[in-house]
């Protein structure tokens, strides 16, 4: 079923870690698990935000997909997409999702754009903080060319827990691929977008020693 869509704010709220567990041996340091509560965050007024994701199965099925959503400062989904794609590395599939989303965005908008994905290695590569080869140089150049279409942009990483709309769209690609506009999206996507709009935080467990 389909439903109109909605989306609010991407802050990560650190929680105080619980007391240290007892060390199992004299040489074992205390283990300090901690939690982050991760929220999707709406873009500034007048900006739009693209969340993208890529999915790759390593079960021999050859399945891979891309998904993403473009939302306004009120969290409303303006455009969403979900498509199967050729099986490849995670980095390349994530980059395909980003390129697809940027092309959609530039078809109707050229203002400020926040671009957000949960592939930290890819994001750091694109903003110049990482050197690990993640995607071919041609894809890097294409992404940078597309970004120049917008008056200004901000490219940033978000944990998977804050990228659930794009993640669910990757799953939808195997059921009903397509592009949705005018606030009409699959029900599973609408539910996650509504959670974002209401500021629902999702727990992420961080293990630190």
């Amino acid at each position: 079923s389909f439903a109109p869509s909605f989306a609010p704010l991407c802050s990560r709220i650190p929680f105080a870690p619980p007391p240290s567990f007892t060390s199992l041996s004299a040489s074992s340091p205390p283990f300090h698990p901690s939690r982050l509560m991760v929220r999707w965050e709406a873009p500034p007024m007048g900006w739009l935000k693209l969340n993208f994701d890529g999915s790759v199965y390593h079960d021999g099925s050859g399945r891979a997909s891309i998904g993403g959503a473009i939302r306004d400062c009120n969290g409303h989904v303006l455009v969403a997409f979900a498509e199967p794609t050729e099986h490849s590395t995670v980095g390349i599939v994530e980059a395909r999702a980003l390129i697809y989303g940027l092309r959609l965005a530039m078809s109707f908008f050229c203002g400020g754009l926040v671009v957000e994905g949960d592939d930290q290695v890819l994001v750091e590569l694109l903003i110049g903080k990482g050197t690990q080869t993640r995607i071919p140089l041609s894809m890097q150049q294409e992404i940078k060319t597309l970004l120049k279409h917008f008056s200004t942009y901000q490219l940033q990483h978000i944990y998977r827990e804050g990228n659930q709309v794009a993640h669910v769209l990757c799953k939808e690609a195997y059921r009903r691929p397509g592009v949705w506009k005018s606030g009409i999206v699959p029900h599973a996507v609408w539910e996650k977008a509504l959670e974002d709009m209401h500021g629902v935080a999702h727990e992420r467990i961080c293990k630190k020693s």
Side-chain angles (χ1 to χ4, degrees):
S1 61
F2 292 79
S5 88
F6 309 119
L9 296 208
C10 164
S11 54
R12 299 168 205 149
I13 305 175
F15 273 61
S20 302
F21 292 108
T22 302
S23 180
L24 297 180
S25 71
S27 61
S28 299
F31 181 64
H32 301 279
S34 63
R35 295 185 298 162
L36 289 178
M37 299 304 292
V38 184
R39 288 192 184 98
W40 181 85
E41 188 171 276
M45 184 175 295
W47 288 51
L48 296 183
K49 187 172 193 178
L50 164 65
N51 282 88
F52 67 94
D53 196 16
S55 170
V56 178
Y57 280 79
H58 297 287
D59 58 0
S61 65
R63 290 186 297 169
S65 66
I66 59 174
I70 301 169
R71 288 178 271 187
D72 64 17
C73 62
N74 295 311
H76 297 133
V77 177
L78 304 179
V79 183
F81 65 93
E83 298 285 348
T85 189
E86 183 181 355
H87 195 274
S88 188
T89 64
V90 171
I92 287 177
V93 172
E94 291 268 2
R96 287 176 189 161
L98 173 53
I99 290 170
Y100 195 108
L102 290 173
R103 288 174 175 168
L104 274 181
M106 65 184 290
S107 70
F108 68 93
F109 183 73
C110 61
L113 184 70
V114 179
V115 182
E116 194 170 69
D118 57 37
D119 187 333
Q120 187 169 3
V121 175
L122 175 61
V123 170
E124 290 184 349
L125 173 66
L126 293 172
I127 64 177
K129 287 187 176 180
T131 57
Q132 179 176 340
T133 302
R134 188 68 161 167
I135 59 175
L137 181 59
S138 60
M139 295 187 84
Q140 294 183 48
Q141 293 173 336
E142 181 175 4
I143 291 167
K144 291 177 180 179
T145 298
L146 291 171
L147 286 169
K148 290 178 181 177
H149 171 82
F150 303 95
S151 61
T152 185
Y153 66 88
Q154 180 176 331
L155 183 59
Q156 61 194 35
H157 171 258
I158 180 70
Y159 289 121
R160 168 64 57 82
E161 291 80 3
N163 200 37
Q164 294 200 25
V165 166
H167 182 62
V168 171
L169 280 160
C170 282
K171 295 181 179 180
E172 286 294 321
Y174 303 116
R175 304 186 189 104
R176 50 169 84 108
V179 176
W180 298 271
K181 300 180 180 180
S182 304
I184 304 298
V185 294
H187 187 73
V189 178
W190 174 78
E191 287 184 325
K192 291 300 182 184
L194 190 61
E195 287 183 0
D196 286 348
M197 177 173 246
H198 288 165
V200 174
H202 303 276
E203 182 180 82
R204 177 180 179 85
I205 302 297
C206 300
K207 297 179 179 179
K208 300 186 299 181
S209 56

